[in-house]
Amino acid sequence: MTERLGSVFIENVQPELDAGRYAIKRVAGESLTVRADIFKEGHDVLVAIARWRQVTPAAQKTDWAEVPLTFKNNDAWEGSIPLANNGRYEFTIEAWPDLFRTWAHELKRKVDAGRDVKSELLEGAALLEGAAARAKGKSAEDHRVLAEAGARLRTPPSPDHLLAALSPELADAASRHPDRALACKYDKVLQVFADREKARNAAWYEFFPRSAKRDGKTHGTFKDAQAWLPYVQKLGFDTVYLPPIHPIGRTARKGKNNSLRALPGDVGSPWAIGAAEGGHKAVHPELGTLADFRAFTDAAKAHGIEVALDLAFQCAPDHPYVKEHPEWFQHRPDGTIKTAENPPKRYEDIVNFDWMGPARDALWKELKSVVLHWVDNGVRTFRVDNPHTKPMQFWHWLIREVQDLHPDVLFLSEAFTRPKVMKALAKVGFTQSYTYFTWRLFKDELRTYLEEITSPPVSDYFRGNLWPNTPDILPENLQNAGPGAFRLRVALASTLSSVWGMYSGYELCEGRPVPGKEEYLDSEKYQLVAWDWDRPGNISEWIAKLNAARKAHPALQQYQGLRFFESDNDRVVFYGKRSPDGLSTVLVAVSLDPYAPQEALLHVPMEWLGVNAEETYQVHELMADQRSLWQGPDVQVRLTPEQPASIWAVYRYRRTEHAFDYFE
């Protein structure tokens, strides 16, 4: 709907999320394409603009600016708003009739029909005089041109007068000074948040620093964990995600394999946060000090890696908050504090906050200070544990409060829950989201799901971070499976989305489950683990090649624009991506069979590639580092468990002054 100042209608404004309640997501450096249906009764020539401004951070706040919208077809208009900086923007749409162009258009038709136009010329003179008055003090040249043209139209008409009245230059001058009193404004001010680039393009590697000694016996430190960084860099990851690094509770501490009874020396779950040594702002003493953590983040940065920290808003029973602020927690009728439950599961080592209770203001303020504490200590990315078990209102408030001060902070939602809840978390502000990819195994379901989350309207607010495994989840397709299963799933995760991650041990094809469950046997959540990076059968080189392909080819750094294409084998999925400038194009074929070779006839999308059927073009297969010349729409491929994926960078010939060159 529109604000009825005039008779122009503004409808179907896109992108708009839940009637403007939440912000659309984009990346700084992009432009936001705005579309709307704009129309008016009659045959008036219309003008439409998008008004926009940056509103956060405060230091980069701007005044309102305007960009023109262009008429496309069938009353549809479109334009682009520049999003130069990281931060929050506002935008809306305004439209009005261009009185002088409408008059000039009708005048020409009347003249062509041989009509007497003396009265019309006086109408035009009045329009030009009004525009000249509005130009005064803004543009001396426009004021002069408009005033002189208006005066001429009040003299006896002549062919020269008519020719001058219909000149495009005069219409342009009049249009620069419209009568905005006739404008209609869209009745909402919409928002877009421009994240930094890593919101859209990142590869995450999760490991427990307490296992950094790799012997399964000795508790590691941040200093020990620094030794992992060259290895992580070699694999091609640019984000290291650490589970909670805080003191671990002793009350009801879990033992190995989630045992209810901890034995002496059992390290407990890092998600049971808080003990006598401190809470969410403290560092576990066996890991080191806050200074040691800062040294670790500095070392990671030197390797081109950013550190992401787990944000788990829950407490062990002996967290300092429990004694200092019992009013922040849920209590049973007998006065005891409730432990966390997800029946039939019960988490005896965790108690939950009373999120919407009478002390919520103080509680929320304290939890905000936790985030800002770690931001002050160099953390700019948080993986948020189980956000779907906390109120949406809290996340909407917290994320906006933090990003208004620090727009470069990113939040990953770890919520494997109902689809609408996952999407709602993305709407209220989470930068990235875990997905159902972990359980999407077959061709049709992969295509349906990935098309949904990488295309508007979902992709306007939801960025899927694809994980084939996590410390919590060892999916059945990886349990006791050979390297082929691990190769194909990581190939899918790293190329279907521009953001993906994996938990350490994946590269070693670790797949021993708790019988009958999607859980790791001897889970690192409850004990130290001995990791042998050189374990026979590891797929580290395969993963490094995948990440190298992502870094080298901008097409794989795009979240939107995923296109699926046809293959004649239901066990081979075929898809492609292209960069917005069209200079990088990649095709990918992945076998979904981890045990046997699969052959497929791929139907190459010639029109999408911009290639004629008779044209020869070069492809570079990145995993095997082989180049070929292709021609025509059909390509035969053979994929094996040893190489279940092929990634082709597509190159076309380009004629130069003296020869032919390739361009991607």
Side-chain angles (χ1 to χ4, degrees):
M1 296 298 293
T2 56
E3 184 179 340
R4 306 283 353 125
L5 296 179
S7 58
V8 179
F9 279 77
I10 302 172
E11 298 181 341
N12 192 30
V13 175
Q14 299 294 332
E16 180 176 329
L17 181 56
D18 284 8
R21 186 178 298 117
Y22 306 115
I24 296 296
K25 291 185 177 70
R26 291 294 186 270
V27 170
E30 293 181 336
S31 59
L32 175 70
T33 299
V34 178
R35 300 179 178 89
D37 295 336
I38 303 173
F39 53 91
K40 180 183 181 295
E41 80 287 349
H43 305 286
D44 298 66
V45 176
L46 300 182
V47 176
I49 61 165
R51 302 183 72 234
W52 64 274
R53 64 177 178 176
Q54 185 171 356
V55 293
T56 66
Q60 293 180 320
K61 188 172 182 178
T62 66
D63 294 330
W64 286 100
E66 297 178 354
V67 294
L69 301 185
T70 302
F71 177 79
K72 307 302 288 185
N73 56 62
N74 193 27
D75 294 320
W77 294 69
E78 181 179 297
S80 295
I81 295 172
L83 306 173
N85 303 311
N86 177 203
R88 189 176 303 274
Y89 293 74
E90 293 179 340
F91 69 96
T92 190
I93 291 176
E94 191 171 335
W96 59 86
D98 188 325
L99 300 179
F100 185 76
R101 288 188 191 275
T102 300
W103 170 86
H105 178 69
E106 293 181 352
L107 178 70
K108 184 177 185 305
R109 294 172 63 189
K110 291 179 180 179
V111 170
D112 291 345
R115 296 265 300 271
D116 178 30
V117 293
K118 291 180 181 178
S119 178
E120 283 79 0
L121 292 177
L122 294 178
E123 292 174 2
L127 293 174
L128 289 170
E129 289 162 357
R134 291 187 292 273
K136 191 173 183 179
K138 297 178 181 177
S139 170
E141 179 62 17
D142 283 352
H143 173 71
R144 181 189 63 79
V145 168
L146 293 168
E148 290 177 357
R152 282 197 302 272
L153 290 185
R154 292 193 179 278
T155 63
S158 70
D160 290 342
H161 288 173
L162 294 176
L163 185 63
L166 297 175
S167 73
E169 294 77 13
L170 182 60
D172 289 343
S175 295
R176 285 193 288 271
H177 307 282
D179 183 358
R180 298 280 283 262
L182 299 175
C184 285
K185 300 177 181 178
Y186 190 55
D187 60 359
K188 302 185 192 76
V189 175
L190 306 176
Q191 297 183 28
V192 56
F193 192 86
D195 288 294
R196 59 187 172 101
E197 171 65 24
K198 214 155 194 177
R200 180 181 60 194
N201 176 33
W204 292 51
Y205 184 84
E206 178 179 4
F207 76 84
F208 288 69
R210 69 186 187 182
S211 291
K213 281 289 190 183
R214 299 193 296 138
D215 62 7
K217 300 176 182 178
T218 310
H219 198 292
T221 67
F222 289 126
K223 292 180 181 179
D224 298 322
Q226 289 188 33
W228 284 51
L229 294 173
Y231 169 72
V232 176
Q233 182 184 35
K234 184 179 179 180
L235 290 178
F237 292 96
D238 52 43
T239 302
V240 161
Y241 154 46
L242 306 182
I245 60 172
H246 317 296
I248 297 172
R250 294 175 177 82
T251 301
R253 176 177 286 193
K254 295 296 184 71
K256 294 178 181 179
N257 285 311
N258 202 19
S259 169
L260 295 180
R261 183 179 179 184
L263 300 176
D266 282 348
V267 291
S269 168
W271 284 272
I273 296 172
E277 299 87 350
H280 283 75
K281 297 177 183 178
V283 170
H284 194 297
E286 291 191 74
L287 290 174
T289 66
L290 186 58
D292 293 331
F293 172 75
R294 293 292 298 267
F296 175 77
T297 61
D298 290 343
K301 185 176 181 180
H303 286 84
I305 297 170
E306 181 172 333
V307 174
L309 197 60
D310 197 287
L311 189 65
F313 280 152
Q314 59 208 28
C315 298
D318 37 359
H319 193 296
Y321 287 160
V322 176
K323 289 184 178 180
E324 296 168 2
H325 295 283
E327 72 277 10
W328 289 355
F329 296 89
Q330 295 178 337
H331 290 74
R332 297 185 182 89
D334 64 4
T336 58
I337 294 180
K338 284 187 176 182
T339 55
E341 295 186 44
N342 182 18
K345 293 182 179 181
R346 182 180 179 188
Y347 304 93
E348 295 85 356
D349 56 343
I350 293 173
V351 295
N352 281 334
F353 293 117
D354 186 2
W355 289 97
M356 304 301 287
R360 61 172 264 182
D361 290 347
L363 170 63
W364 290 20
K365 183 178 179 180
E366 172 62 16
L367 297 181
K368 172 187 168 183
S369 77
V370 169
V371 179
L372 295 180
H373 168 79
W374 292 107
V375 170
D376 290 342
N377 281 281
V379 178
R380 288 297 185 274
T381 301
F382 295 91
R383 177 269 199 187
V384 180
D385 187 64
N386 285 330
H388 57 291
T389 62
K390 290 83 177 173
M392 297 287 179
Q393 300 95 315
F394 169 74
W395 296 121
H396 192 204
W397 172 84
L398 176 73
I399 293 173
R400 179 151 190 166
E401 287 281 308
V402 173
Q403 289 185 334
D404 281 355
L405 296 172
H406 303 283
D408 58 337
V409 174
L410 312 179
F411 294 89
L412 168 61
S413 166
E414 185 261 348
F416 296 107
T417 184
R418 304 185 304 281
K420 292 180 181 178
V421 176
M422 293 172 70
K423 290 176 180 178
L425 288 164
K427 290 177 182 180
V428 300
F430 277 93
T431 314
Q432 300 171 4
S433 305
Y434 279 40
T435 70
Y436 298 142
F437 163 78
T438 312
W439 300 277
R440 297 295 185 263
L441 306 179
F442 302 108
K443 185 174 179 177
D444 287 345
E445 63 183 7
L446 275 168
R447 177 171 185 164
T448 299
Y449 183 58
L450 268 297
E451 283 181 336
E452 176 194 4
I453 67 172
T454 63
S455 303
V458 177
S459 63
D460 282 332
Y461 61 89
F462 185 101
R463 295 191 189 100
N465 191 330
L466 307 189
W467 290 68
N469 75 326
T470 75
D472 295 304
I473 301 170
L474 175 62
E476 187 176 356
N477 64 90
L478 297 179
Q479 294 182 10
N480 299 308
F486 287 82
R487 286 194 184 97
L488 77 86
R489 291 300 294 177
V490 76
L492 290 167
S494 60
T495 57
L496 284 168
S497 177
S498 56
V499 283
W500 81 285
M502 70 179 208
Y503 160 52
S504 61
Y506 187 96
E507 68 270 37
L508 307 180
C509 303
E510 177 60 45
R512 295 176 301 123
V514 174
K517 296 184 178 181
E518 285 192 329
E519 298 179 15
Y520 282 93
L521 186 65
D522 301 326
S523 171
E524 194 172 7
K525 292 195 300 180
Y526 309 106
Q527 65 189 72
L528 306 180
V529 170
W531 293 117
D532 178 6
W533 294 330
D534 299 317
R535 180 192 294 183
N538 76 77
I539 61 169
S540 297
E541 183 179 353
W542 178 259
I543 293 168
K545 285 183 178 181
L546 289 167
N547 278 332
R550 288 166 48 88
K551 291 181 179 179
H553 297 277
L556 292 174
Q557 299 163 19
Q558 309 304 311
Y559 182 71
Q560 294 186 339
L562 175 66
R563 293 282 299 273
F564 285 86
F565 308 117
E566 295 303 316
S567 77
D568 69 346
N569 186 337
D570 285 341
R571 295 186 180 181
V572 174
V573 61
F574 182 39
Y575 51 93
K577 286 185 173 183
R578 184 166 52 207
S579 61
D581 59 12
L583 298 180
S584 173
T585 302
V586 169
L587 296 172
V588 184
V590 183
S591 169
L592 304 179
D593 186 342
Y595 304 111
Q598 292 291 331
E599 295 187 359
L601 186 67
L602 308 180
H603 189 71
V604 179
M606 306 299 287
E607 184 177 352
W608 183 77
L609 292 178
V611 176
N612 296 324
E614 300 79 17
E615 185 178 348
T616 299
Y617 56 101
Q618 183 189 126
V619 296
H620 180 198
E621 203 292 303
L622 304 174
M623 302 305 288
D625 193 20
Q626 295 178 346
R627 293 179 182 266
S628 305
L629 294 178
W630 285 3
Q631 186 180 45
D634 295 323
V635 173
Q636 186 77 26
V637 298
R638 185 175 189 270
L639 302 171
T640 67
E642 293 72 32
Q643 182 160 332
S646 288
I647 304 173
W648 298 278
V650 180
Y651 299 83
R652 295 177 57 202
Y653 288 112
R654 173 175 58 190
R655 185 185 295 274
T656 65
E657 184 177 355
H658 302 292
F660 287 94
D661 287 337
Y662 286 113
F663 72 97
E664 186 176 352

